[in-house]
Amino acid sequence: ILNVEQSPQSLHVQEGDSTNFTCSFPSSNFYALHWYRWETAKSPEALFVMTLNGDEKKKGRISATLNTKEGYSYLYIKGSQPEDSATYLCAYSYYGGSQGNLIFGKGTKLSVKP
Amino acid sequence: ETGVTQSPTHLIKTRGQQVTLRCSSQSGHNTVSWYQQALGQGPQFIFQYYREEENGRGNFPPRFSGLQFPNYSSELNVNALELDDSALYLCASSPGQGEQPQHFGDGTRLSIL
């Protein structure tokens, strides 16, 4: 069974705190790892797509790293702001899977208090 | 550019009925994927359409079917609705093959009574 695990399930931080969360996925047949941010009452928004071991991507205060050999990715948020409050989803795709078949984790729900 | 739009936003049906959900893909995107998100779960892949052909399917029974039209908009049809079909249905489009980020709609919330 192909499973994507995200931890923690939820996180409450103060404005200005830096935070990080983890996405674990099967390391065999890895193809790509996606991160999405999903704010309440909006649609999921793509943050990053990573394919290479050791990849690091950055978008403003948010960055992500990828380790395909051990099957994990970290998402970092530096200096969290209330507008960062959202559920962060990771999704993995693999060689041999149906085209477009992203396997999602359950997400990490981040709440940032002003 | 126009984003992904889904209709309706909410729908209530009873067991055994049939439902059609609609999705307009983002301008320039020829690939549409459908996902089901049950309460407390991550989105689960139902199927993908690329240039009007089914291009991959997840672990869903045949009563889940779809279509893609020449303008790349798409429909998800579910027959013989069951209580467990209650979920948020998300449509996502992307600009063709290869590993591209998917652009999601706001979803259709389907409730089965």
Side-chain angles (χ1 to χ4, degrees), chain A residues 31-32 34 36 38 41-44 46 49 51 89 93 98-106, chain B residues 33 35 37 40-43 45 48 55-57 88 90 97-102 104-106:
Chain A
Y31 187 61
H34 295 229
Y36 292 88
W38 196 356
K42 294 190 178 180
S43 53
V49 179
T51 56
L89 289 168
S93 63
S98 301
Q99 279 287 350
N101 185 352
L102 289 182
I103 300 175
F104 280 86
K106 293 182 182 180
Chain B
S33 301
Y35 295 87
Q37 190 191 27
Q41 304 297 315
F45 175 69
Q48 183 186 70
N55 189 43
R57 189 177 182 93
L88 179 70
L90 290 164
Q97 299 295 285
E99 204 62 27
Q100 306 274 356
Q102 298 197 7
F104 285 85
D106 290 341

Side-chain angles (χ1 to χ4, degrees), chain A residues 2 10-12 18 26 34 36 40 48 78 103 107 110:
Chain A
L2 297 170
S10 64
L11 198 51
H12 297 263
S18 292
H34 295 229
Y36 292 88
T40 304
F48 307 113
K78 186 176 175 182
I103 300 175
L110 174 67

Side-chain angles (χ1 to χ4, degrees), chain B residues 4-21:
Chain B
V4 177
T5 57
Q6 291 186 242
S7 62
T9 51
H10 295 89
L11 202 49
I12 299 173
K13 291 283 189 178
T14 55
R15 282 168 50 188
Q17 285 189 309
Q18 177 266 340
V19 71
T20 298
L21 310 183

Side-chain angles (χ1 to χ4, degrees), chain B residues 12-77:
Chain B
I12 299 173
K13 291 283 189 178
T14 55
R15 282 168 50 188
Q17 285 189 309
Q18 177 266 340
V19 71
T20 298
L21 310 183
R22 294 182 174 83
C23 171
S24 293
S25 59
Q26 184 162 318
S27 175
H29 290 185
N30 56 19
T31 303
V32 173
S33 301
W34 285 91
Y35 295 87
Q36 180 198 65
Q37 190 191 27
L39 202 59
Q41 304 297 315
Q44 283 206 321
F45 175 69
I46 303 174
F47 44 56
Q48 183 186 70
Y49 279 83
Y50 171 64
R51 292 186 176 177
E52 302 179 58
E53 298 281 332
E54 188 178 288
N55 189 43
R57 189 177 182 93
N59 191 26
F60 280 80
R63 59 190 186 82
F64 285 78
S65 63
L67 279 175
Q68 188 179 30
F69 300 99
N71 66 356
Y72 303 131
S73 65
S74 177
E75 283 182 359
L76 164 65
N77 299 292

